[in-house]
Amino acid sequence: MRRPGLTYPRLLRLVAGSAEPPFQALLGAFFILERWGRGPELQAALEQALARALQQRLREEAAELSEALGRLHYQRGDYVQACNAWSEALELTDDQTRWACLARIGLAQLCFALGDWARGGRMLDQAERHYPRLIDDAYLRAKIGLNRAVSLRATQGPQAAMARLEKARAAAREVGHRDYEAEAMWHYARCARDSAAAEEALSLATQAEDLARRSHYPWLLAQVLLLLSELRAGAEAVPPAQEALALGEALQSRSVQALAHGRLGQLMAEQGQLGPSWHHQQQRQRLEAALALLGQTELPARLEQLARFDVEPPPEVSPGSRAEAAQEARALLAVLERMGERPEGTDQKAALGEAITRARQLVDRLG
């Protein structure tokens, strides 16, 4: 994360020098290329590695590869494929693993894309709740914090998002992930815009642009350029939107392209250039129609199938219930101790069955 430019050539030597490259070397190379907007270069290699991991019944490696493929599909706007990849990752691994945490974050992003903020928030809750090493994983804390801020800004307003953004930026600094520092700055700029602080928003967006360029983070740079185009007027607003469109095409991102075409269509109309404006608006409508088709048909149904991963937290147990449960546990322990004191050969089947039944009831009560 701190020195991707130095790390990538070493990983590439491991990947390129083997017909079956080490899984971790391939995933590390993808992590870096994904940030640089070049993730599709390794799609075929990731798919081959996933097939190999599944054939060898390496479930954890397969889960990690599926999660990575989900990110690749999501960035391009292939939401159904992203949903399938992330759900496969959850099916392959335990809830407590890092890959399950990442997959749930991805599914939360899909829910946000559909406007299902409640379910997306619960997915983030599950990601935080199940991953026991989150306190030591600053990268994932930053990732969750940024997504939480997006949800809060949309549902509760810009002020509600600010505290989350500060925590996310602190975690990004801790792990040395400059990309997420830059992304936090972009979110700060959007919060300022939503608060009608136009000058502050422009200043923050300019800082975010500088950070995104220095981090070689093209997806974020495209988003920041679109914001800068929105905050500027007249001829100054056109170049950022044009650059954002070029980046969206290079990234194969339908959503970025649609936003850029929409902005350019608006700007061309304001300048009286009706032909170019019509062209951009047609392109925007075509891209939005493709995204809407996914959002209205397959994807919602697929997310409904994932309800088993969207589990509400167990109800809080009252102090009175805890005392009763403790009393039952002591009685159950006494039964088991008596069974252990009986001489060998004594028929314990009935007593054991009773103890098992009581234990199950106790577990159900405690959630």
Side-chain angles (χ1 to χ4, degrees), residues 210-359:
D210 179 62
L211 287 171
R213 288 190 188 279
R214 287 193 283 122
S215 300
H216 305 288
Y217 190 3
W219 176 85
L220 178 63
L221 179 58
Q223 300 290 348
V224 174
L225 288 167
L226 286 169
L227 179 58
L228 283 169
S229 177
E230 178 186 337
L231 295 170
R232 292 171 180 168
E236 290 185 353
V238 175
Q242 290 175 329
E243 187 178 357
L245 177 58
L247 287 167
E249 291 172 345
L251 291 167
Q252 304 175 31
S253 172
R254 294 190 187 97
S255 59
V256 171
Q257 291 178 65
L259 290 170
H261 278 299
R263 179 59 178 156
L264 286 168
Q266 178 186 8
L267 291 169
M268 294 300 103
E270 291 173 358
Q271 296 177 14
Q273 301 183 39
L274 300 184
S277 174
W278 183 87
H279 166 74
H280 286 298
Q281 294 296 354
Q282 289 294 308
Q283 294 299 314
R284 176 186 63 81
Q285 292 173 12
R286 176 182 63 81
L287 290 160
E288 287 182 347
L291 291 169
L293 183 63
L294 292 172
Q296 293 170 6
T297 55
E298 294 182 64
L299 184 55
R302 188 70 183 97
L303 285 172
E304 286 298 329
Q305 294 172 15
L306 299 178
R308 63 190 184 280
F309 299 126
D310 176 15
V311 183
E312 292 289 348
E316 186 66 28
V317 181
S318 68
S321 297
R322 286 197 185 95
E324 293 174 5
Q327 186 175 359
E328 286 188 31
R330 284 193 291 271
L332 180 58
L333 176 60
V335 171
L336 294 172
E337 287 174 341
R338 287 197 300 271
M339 290 173 60
E341 294 171 357
R342 292 178 182 177
E344 293 184 5
T346 303
D347 184 9
Q348 299 184 0
K349 186 173 182 180
L352 182 60
E354 179 186 355
I356 289 172
T357 300
R358 293 177 64 183

Side-chain angles (χ1 to χ4, degrees), residues 13 89 94 102 107 112 127 185 213 218 233 261 279 301 305 362:
R13 285 196 293 271
D94 294 331
L102 282 163
L107 291 171
F112 294 161
M185 187 65 69
R213 288 190 188 279
H261 278 299
H279 166 74
Q305 294 172 15
L362 184 59

Side-chain angles (χ1 to χ4, degrees), residues 116-138:
D116 191 346
W117 300 101
R119 173 171 291 180
R122 291 197 302 272
M123 283 290 181
L124 289 180
D125 292 341
Q126 294 291 324
E128 289 181 311
R129 184 178 298 113
H130 286 300
Y131 183 40
R133 297 182 60 187
L134 185 61
I135 192 171
D136 299 319
D137 197 325

Side-chain angles (χ1 to χ4, degrees), residues 93-165:
T93 190
D94 294 331
D95 280 346
Q96 295 80 13
T97 64
R98 195 171 191 268
W99 329 125
C101 183
L102 282 163
R104 280 192 165 91
I105 296 170
L107 291 171
Q109 292 172 326
L110 286 176
C111 292
F112 294 161
L114 290 179
D116 191 346
W117 300 101
R119 173 171 291 180
R122 291 197 302 272
M123 283 290 181
L124 289 180
D125 292 341
Q126 294 291 324
E128 289 181 311
R129 184 178 298 113
H130 286 300
Y131 183 40
R133 297 182 60 187
L134 185 61
I135 192 171
D136 299 319
D137 197 325
Y139 168 73
L140 282 189
R141 293 205 313 276
K143 191 177 182 75
I144 290 173
L146 290 171
N147 280 280
R148 189 76 75 182
V150 169
S151 175
L152 288 171
R153 189 179 67 85
T155 57
Q156 298 181 32
Q159 295 305 316
M162 298 295 281
R164 278 287 180 174
L165 283 176

